[in-house]
Amino acid sequence: MTAADPVRRAEIEAGLSETRARIENACAAAGRKDLPTLIVVTKTHPPADIDHLRALGVRDIGENRDNEAAAKLAHVQNLDELTVHFIGQLQTNKAASVARYADVVHSVDRPRLVQTLVAATERLGRTLDVLIQVDLSGSPGRGGVDPQQAGELAALVVGAETLRLRGVMAVAPLDEDPDAAFARLAAVADGIRRVSPEATWISAGMSGDLEAAVRHGATHLRVGTAILGSRAHRG
Ligand SMILES: *Cc1c(COP(=O)(O)O)cnc(C)c1O
């Protein structure tokens, strides 16, 4: 594998332009003038893919596992040009590691994790952008706070000097119409924004349901498969 494999770059470029076209069409259909930010989810894909993405103009990437991300990002060129979004379920004992390389943590879903991120960021002398992950499935344990408790958790983040509350994040349940799920997320986002006007982000929508997310006000889309394919390209 060479760092600038032209075949792979062309593949990624095609996936990117298809996805950007889908987003533009969805925005036009929804009467939206503001394009959401596209976060390309690079999990399971090698560092060279991230180099290609950067060369193709991508500035936001997403990773969902600390072990993989910490090891991989060490091999990415010009990492400081990228905004790194941590989007996966976050164990408390991994929070200090994630706080080192992430710019945004999308998956804050319990008070204990807030406390751990506060301790880690204070030690590192840095601040982190944070989203409250909301559980839309009704079966907590798979990530996300109960929508009823999202406001309380958001208040905890607002009270932390080294964390900046930016908004909410969710994954649509597989067994439900994504429009219905993202409508509930939009309502939770409204409630939080009323208390914290700067918390304007809604991170929602993946390869399969980005159009529904656009319809319900997503400001950030997290797309992997549609751009990079379904697994690590060549080891
Ligand atoms: C993997 C992942 C995505 C991207 O999913 P695709 O279907 O590959 O686009 C988005 N959000 C989270 C939390 C993920 O883990």
Side-chain angles (χ1 to χ4, degrees):
M1 182 180 70
T2 60
D5 176 348
V7 175
R8 181 59 175 155
R9 178 159 310 181
E11 239 171 52
I12 294 175
E13 188 168 24
L16 257 182
S17 53
E18 264 171 53
T19 299
R20 285 179 175 144
R22 275 177 70 190
I23 296 168
E24 281 163 25
N25 289 339
C27 284
R32 279 181 61 168
K33 297 231 162 57
D34 58 314
L35 280 183
T37 299
L38 173 60
I39 300 167
V40 181
V41 178
T42 48
K43 68 186 185 201
T44 77
H45 296 279
D49 278 5
I50 301 179
D51 296 333
H52 288 308
L53 287 164
R54 201 196 55 257
L56 292 165
V58 169
R59 289 295 172 265
D60 293 84
I61 61 158
E63 286 285 337
N64 76 332
R65 290 177 54 217
D66 173 58
N67 289 353
E68 182 191 342
K72 191 199 298 188
L73 295 175
H75 299 285
V76 169
Q77 301 164 18
N78 303 52
L79 187 61
D80 56 340
E81 290 177 17
L82 298 173
T83 298
V84 175
H85 299 257
F86 189 85
I87 63 174
Q89 254 186 299
L90 183 49
Q91 291 169 282
T92 308
N93 65 355
K94 305 286 188 184
S97 170
V98 168
R100 237 171 253 132
Y101 58 79
D103 299 292
V104 189
V105 176
H106 288 228
S107 45
V108 170
D109 63 356
R110 58 200 191 279
R112 177 113 166 74
L113 183 55
V114 174
Q115 289 154 11
T116 313
L117 286 172
V118 168
T121 46
E122 282 178 349
R123 232 178 302 120
L124 293 163
R126 65 172 306 202
T127 58
L128 263 185
D129 284 351
V130 157
L131 303 181
I132 302 296
Q133 184 179 352
V134 179
D135 169 48
L136 299 175
S137 74
S139 58
R142 303 189 47 224
V145 65
D146 183 298
Q148 304 286 342
Q149 279 151 23
E152 210 175 306
L153 191 60
L156 203 58
V157 172
V158 168
E161 251 176 56
T162 51
L163 304 181
R164 181 154 69 135
L165 180 70
R166 300 309 304 260
V168 297
M169 176 272 217
V171 177
L174 286 174
D175 57 357
E176 192 190 0
D177 170 20
D179 276 283
F182 291 143
R184 292 203 302 285
L185 180 64
V188 175
D190 275 348
I192 289 177
R193 206 168 41 231
R194 234 170 282 132
V195 183
S196 307
E198 287 171 22
T200 55
W201 295 14
I202 300 178
S203 166
M206 323 197 314
S207 294
D209 57 17
L210 70 85
E211 285 83 2
V214 164
R215 282 193 282 279
H216 294 281
T219 61
H220 292 69
L221 306 170
R222 309 178 308 269
V223 180
T225 314
I227 296 168
L228 295 174
S230 57
R231 66 169 63 89
H233 188 59
R234 46 196 72 155

